[in-house]
Amino acid sequence: MNIALIGSGGREHALCHKLFESSIVNKIYCIPGNAGTNSIAKNLNIDFLNFNRLLSVIKLYNIDLVVVGPELPLVKGIVDFLRKNKIKVFGPDKYAAQLEGSKAFMKYLCKKNKIPTAGFKICKNKKDINIFLAQHKMPIVVKADGLASGKGVVICYSKKEVEKFSNEIFLGKFKSSKKLVLEEFLEGEEVSYFLIVDKKRFSFIGSAQDHKRVGENETGPNTGGMGAYSPAPVINKDLEKKIIKNIVEPTLKALRERNHSYTGFLYVGLMIKNNDPYLIEYNVRMGDPECQVILPRLKTDLGKLLKASVENKLNKIKIKWSESKCMSIVLCSKGYPNRQIVNKKIDLRQIKLTNKSFIFHASTKIKNGLFFSNGGRVLNIVVLGNTFLKIRNQIIKIIKIINWKFGFFRKDIGWRVINKR
Ligand code: AMP
Ligand code: GLY
């Protein structure tokens, strides 16, 4: 089958790499892709939010399955549009994508179905804010309701901070919504739990932990993710049962009852406290960089798996995993996540990869056969191995060989699982 893969980040390069290995995948078209996908697929420089243009390209290239990487097209209804036009597509519809697209939608769904999550109030004005402030202690988490490219959440330690950030949201700082959610602060260990879902059932597709802060020792501003590792040892059998029974099943049942059965990847963002899971967020896609550390461990043919999901035959596939552990460190452009330098040459010719090491491109482009940086997160250096410490050392060795003077990275990725040993 021919695949159109929507997106251009490290997640999409990892998906593309795995689909390239699939025995049932013929051609892959990345829309728009990056310099990494360019070497194994055909990149098409098309605005994927222009759905009509996208449809004509899908028809032109005889695409059998569209795989959607990022959240924005899902939240904007790409799945509904393509399905209406009889195109097979992997991902949730617009209604179900509100799990990520609207924090208010997600929190109401939790409340109605008794899903464990932080106490909250949806606020539309100052009066709402004051009611919540009078009833709760600091810290308080302020969240913009709509998509905000990772910039919509602030943990506040004073009333003043809550008022300031809330005011900015009410005044329209984020175009997607002027509502916000105030939440109690949950203490614990954060972990991401992934599922692949069809209309009738779901299968586990990995656990991971990522590092969102830009600086070592979890300091500095939040980023899209500076590195990740899989599996996450904090997940045990007992916890997994609770995640499924208390969080996943009631969510999928609620959507089914509203005639919007979920399909696609589901990213369950959790806080674990005293071996009990609390839902922090849903994302309606794979994580980035979590995808880059989960897929190298997957032994099952990804093409077959995605096909089974869109045909509601996930029960026919037993998902197999490598015993190895996997880690990714992201090589970023200096200045990220504020104002990073871009368009700098990056030379990978000295790098010799094995079947246990990978470079997944994120923001790169190709000019005259050479790689150039094109954004904040540039490359994911990914290694499979037996211990996280050895893996991390190997990744750092590769980064030293790349020796990119315009970049930086965190040397402490995986500290939680390495320091414990
Ligand atoms: P979200 O976009 O909802 O995932 O929030 C971004 C990040 O903020 C999460 O990954 C957590 O690290 C943190 N966070 C969000 N909500 C809470 C909460 N209620 N308590 C503690 N930390 C939170
Ligand atoms: N790494 C966090 C995310 O993909 O949302």
Side-chain angles (χ1 to χ4, degrees):
M1 67 184 173
N2 293 334
I3 305 248
L5 175 58
I6 308 287
S8 63
R11 168 183 48 214
E12 286 74 25
H13 189 190
L15 285 163
C16 186
H17 175 86
K18 209 72 191 173
L19 287 169
F20 182 73
E21 291 177 348
S22 167
S23 66
I24 62 163
V25 171
N26 185 18
K27 282 204 162 141
I28 309 170
Y29 297 90
C30 292
I31 304 177
N34 59 35
T37 63
N38 185 63
S39 61
I40 48 174
K42 185 170 173 58
N43 285 354
L44 300 172
N45 194 10
I46 288 158
D47 173 12
F48 55 66
L49 294 178
N50 183 342
F51 293 167
N52 282 311
R53 170 100 178 89
L54 181 68
L55 180 64
S56 63
V57 166
I58 286 167
K59 288 185 174 161
L60 179 70
Y61 288 99
N62 296 315
I63 301 296
D64 302 292
L65 176 66
V66 178
V67 179
V68 188
E71 63 277 15
L72 186 60
L74 295 167
V75 169
K76 293 214 178 266
I78 193 170
V79 168
D80 311 57
F81 175 84
L82 291 176
R83 279 197 195 140
K84 213 176 357 172
N85 286 285
K86 309 258 179 298
I87 306 289
K88 278 192 183 158
V89 51
F90 177 78
D93 69 13
K94 186 175 181 174
Y95 184 88
Q98 289 179 93
L99 284 181
E100 177 169 1
S102 167
K103 303 251 184 223
F105 174 91
M106 180 284 238
K107 294 299 266 192
Y108 277 136
L109 189 135
C110 285
K111 193 171 181 185
K112 218 166 165 201
N113 296 280
K114 301 191 173 59
I115 292 168
T117 186
F120 70 100
K121 183 171 177 65
I122 317 280
C123 301
K124 290 184 183 151
N125 51 47
K126 273 190 187 163
K127 196 173 144 218
D128 294 339
I129 302 276
N130 288 335
I131 295 171
F132 192 85
L133 283 177
Q135 293 165 345
H136 293 86
K137 279 195 240 141
M138 294 294 150
I140 283 173
V141 187
V142 183
K143 297 186 174 184
D145 173 47
L147 289 185
S149 314
K151 297 192 171 71
V153 176
V154 177
I155 296 166
C156 297
Y157 293 87
S158 70
K159 282 189 178 185
K160 243 193 178 151
E161 266 183 285
V162 173
E163 283 160 2
K164 181 173 172 284
F165 191 57
S166 301
N167 225 4
E168 287 173 10
I169 298 172
F170 290 148
L171 290 172
K173 177 170 183 169
F174 302 104
K175 286 199 188 88
S176 49
S177 172
K178 285 187 181 174
K179 267 188 295 194
L180 62 87
V181 180
L182 292 187
E183 267 186 31
E184 290 168 352
F185 180 78
L186 291 174
E187 232 158 315
E189 184 167 345
E190 215 177 327
V191 64
S192 307
Y193 187 84
F194 295 88
L195 302 169
I196 181 165
V197 186
D198 74 14
K199 280 190 175 172
K200 297 177 193 154
R201 48 188 81 72
F202 59 86
S203 301
F204 171 68
I205 191 140
S207 65
Q209 287 178 297
D210 76 340
H211 296 259
K212 291 201 172 70
R213 301 296 198 96
V214 73
E216 285 169 14
N217 303 314
E218 310 308 328
T219 52
N222 264 342
T223 67
M226 298 295 292
Y229 51 90
S230 173
V234 64
I235 302 277
N236 56 51
K237 282 278 162 235
D238 177 48
L239 189 58
E240 200 163 5
K241 269 192 205 152
K242 291 180 194 165
I243 296 169
I244 288 173
K245 185 163 171 283
N246 303 342
I247 297 176
V248 172
E249 281 176 348
T251 302
L252 297 179
K253 182 165 173 273
L255 291 174
R256 226 175 277 132
E257 282 169 0
R258 297 174 194 195
N259 278 326
H260 289 279
S261 301
Y262 194 93
T263 56
F265 290 123
L266 181 62
Y267 170 146
V268 190
L270 299 162
M271 193 67 87
I272 311 299
K273 191 178 169 186
N274 303 327
N275 210 41
D276 279 323
Y278 295 84
L279 181 68
I280 292 192
E281 63 166 343
Y282 273 127
N283 292 317
V284 294
R285 52 172 172 84
M286 276 306 270
D288 185 341
E290 292 91 333
C291 186
Q292 293 88 305
V293 292
I294 286 175
L295 291 187
R297 300 182 49 243
L298 178 70
K299 283 194 131 153
T300 306
D301 184 317
L302 183 65
K304 288 186 183 168
L305 193 54
L306 299 187
K307 183 169 182 283
S309 165
V310 290
E311 292 174 354
N312 299 309
K313 290 180 184 160
L314 270 181
N315 58 325
K316 297 260 171 11
I317 295 205
K318 177 151 175 46
I319 300 180
K320 291 196 181 130
W321 296 98
S322 142
E323 293 288 312
S324 300
K325 298 178 167 75
C326 190
M327 183 185 285
S328 168
I329 299 183
V330 182
L331 182 57
C332 299
S333 302
K334 280 185 183 161
Y336 177 72
N338 301 319
R339 212 177 299 154
Q340 66 265 0
I341 40 172
V342 292
N343 209 15
K344 295 292 176 195
K345 193 162 82 182
I346 184 156
D347 189 351
L348 299 178
R349 282 173 300 184
Q350 302 303 318
I351 306 300
K352 298 214 173 11
L353 298 170
T354 66
N355 62 353
K356 292 196 179 338
S357 55
F358 315 86
I359 293 185
F360 295 129
H361 290 230
S363 297
T364 57
K365 61 184 174 183
I366 202 159
K367 267 196 303 193
N368 304 324
L370 299 169
F371 297 135
F372 285 81
S373 61
N374 197 28
R377 292 190 293 171
V378 178
L379 298 174
N380 297 264
I381 322 302
V382 178
V383 169
L384 278 167
N386 296 329
T387 73
F388 284 123
L389 179 60
K390 280 193 194 155
I391 294 174
R392 187 170 73 184
N393 288 339
Q394 228 177 311
I395 295 175
I396 292 175
K397 235 191 236 169
I398 296 174
I399 296 179
K400 288 205 168 135
I401 299 172
I402 298 175
N403 191 24
W404 191 46
K405 64 174 186 250
F406 303 103
F408 75 98
F409 65 99
R410 272 183 65 170
K411 294 184 200 68
D412 66 341
I413 299 300
W415 58 264
R416 247 187 224 97
V417 282
I418 289 172
N419 294 352
K420 266 184 196 164
R421 291 170 164 271

